[in-house]
Amino acid sequence: ISPFYQPEIDLNTNEIVGFEALLRWRDRDGAVQSPERIAAAFDDPEVATAISDRMLERSITDMRGWLDKGIAFKSVAFNVSAAEFRRGGFAEGVLEQLDNAGVPSSCLQIEVTETVFLGQGAEYVLTALKILNSEGVKIALDDFGTGYASLRHLKDFPVEIIKIDQSFVRNMVVDPGDEAIVRAVINLGQSLGMKVVAEGIESIEQARRLLELGCDFGQGYLFSKAVPADKVPDLLSSSAAGTTGRLSLARQWRPRLMTSNV
Ligand code: G
Ligand code: MN
């Protein structure tokens, strides 16, 4: 199991503004697999904990490696589940690991879904997020709009980033209902002074519409899939080379899209 890194893009400038660490694993043949096929492993709290410990450890090691090479990756967003907060001491543990590795806490973002605010152990979540946030770790609310939390949480928790779930982005160009939800989330986030990131951008049309609606950041296969740590420097240099105009990065990376629509 190891983290792969998907870039997050400034849709206005095409610059990479950070990465999200996504779990990938290699099967017996060495092929890279996504987490779906090992979803059952996450039902076992011990295994789930071991997996996420390893993911965090590896992400911090990768960040240390990039810092040593002078690679300006900006930040890595790390997904944290409710079970991890329930352990207690989560925030302190993360900060200690960053400190031990000499990685500034501002390099790390934590992504939580709305469900971490619900149910058993929810009281630990607020404490943990406040501790992390006070040390400069930014908190993102992931898959926004698909959970069961209340809008109150946006005010009560130290959330600075909202990530629009890919299920809304997928059909936003053809489904006015999805577009209405995307627009509402963008407006809500901006009114609260938060950064809004659209997930799952696969087409130039989606990226263009998101920009029109005022969403400045996004990630998705249009720009890049998640790549192994050693490919991150290449991705960053193509981003720096491709900053000459709107969506040129997407054009450059996906030349077959060049011919139409743009
Ligand atoms: O939970 P979260 O929203 O962070 O989900 C991330 C998952 O979505 C990852 O497994 C990642 O591989 C996948 N993903 C990332 N970009 C895209 C995309 O453009 N399209 C699709 N279908 N999936 C994506
Ligand atoms: Mn995420």
Side-chain angles (χ1 to χ4, degrees):
I1 279 166
S2 56
F4 274 42
Y5 298 92
Q6 185 177 43
E8 184 190 311
I9 309 289
D10 181 328
L11 298 175
N12 290 290
T13 65
N14 302 308
E15 273 168 303
I16 293 176
V17 293
F19 292 84
E20 176 173 3
L22 295 169
L23 186 155
R24 294 293 181 264
W25 57 282
R26 280 183 199 280
D27 63 20
R28 284 204 182 84
D29 303 325
V32 175
Q33 302 281 352
S34 56
E36 285 79 36
R37 268 177 55 205
I38 52 165
F42 293 95
D43 295 339
D44 180 323
E46 257 176 58
V47 178
T49 302
I51 291 175
S52 67
D53 283 350
R54 173 158 166 89
M55 283 285 291
L56 185 64
E57 200 185 293
R58 282 289 307 270
S59 301
I60 291 176
T61 305
D62 289 339
M63 286 192 265
R64 184 64 255 165
W66 296 324
L67 289 170
D68 288 342
K69 292 187 186 118
I71 305 229
F73 62 93
K74 300 200 176 115
S75 68
V76 167
F78 190 77
N79 293 279
V80 180
S81 70
E84 289 164 74
F85 287 109
R86 241 173 259 138
R87 276 196 277 170
F90 171 76
E92 293 84 350
V94 170
L95 293 170
E96 193 184 318
Q97 285 183 67
L98 287 169
D99 195 43
N100 289 343
V103 173
S105 42
S106 58
C107 291
L108 188 75
Q109 288 179 11
I110 294 288
E111 294 194 7
V112 297
T113 61
E114 296 159 85
T115 44
V116 303
F117 302 134
L118 305 173
Q120 205 193 346
E123 64 278 11
Y124 291 127
V125 176
L126 180 59
T127 316
L129 293 184
K130 278 186 175 160
I131 293 171
L132 288 165
N133 192 242
S134 70
E135 294 296 323
V137 178
K138 289 197 171 68
I139 313 297
L141 202 46
D142 204 4
D143 304 340
F144 188 74
T146 60
Y148 302 93
S150 99
L151 293 174
R152 171 109 240 136
H153 293 134
L154 286 177
K155 283 195 67 196
D156 292 349
F157 289 81
V159 173
E160 292 175 68
I161 302 158
I162 297 182
K163 299 190 85 169
I164 306 175
D165 189 63
Q166 47 180 284
S167 64
F168 302 118
V169 174
R170 188 170 303 133
N171 296 320
M172 61 175 287
V173 179
V174 288
D175 184 330
D178 281 335
E179 194 198 85
I181 291 170
V182 169
R183 183 190 294 125
V185 174
I186 294 168
N187 291 340
L188 176 68
Q190 286 179 343
S191 307
L192 292 167
M194 294 172 185
K195 176 178 165 186
V196 181
V197 182
E199 293 195 302
I201 304 177
E202 293 185 355
S203 73
I204 296 268
E205 291 73 19
Q206 289 163 346
R208 190 194 284 128
R209 189 75 193 114
L210 284 159
L211 268 170
E212 282 167 8
L213 295 174
C215 178
D216 296 320
F217 302 96
Q219 56 190 81
Y221 296 161
L222 174 65
F223 305 105
S224 174
K225 295 196 172 191
V227 301
D230 61 354
K231 293 282 185 300
V232 161
D234 291 348
L235 223 46
L236 282 163
S237 41
S238 37
S239 155
T243 51
T244 51
R246 238 172 217 215
L247 298 175
S248 64
L249 188 60
R251 270 192 217 145
Q252 178 186 325
W253 287 353
R254 296 284 297 268
R256 67 193 176 79
L257 289 165
M258 253 178 84
T259 44
S260 59
N261 303 323
V262 187

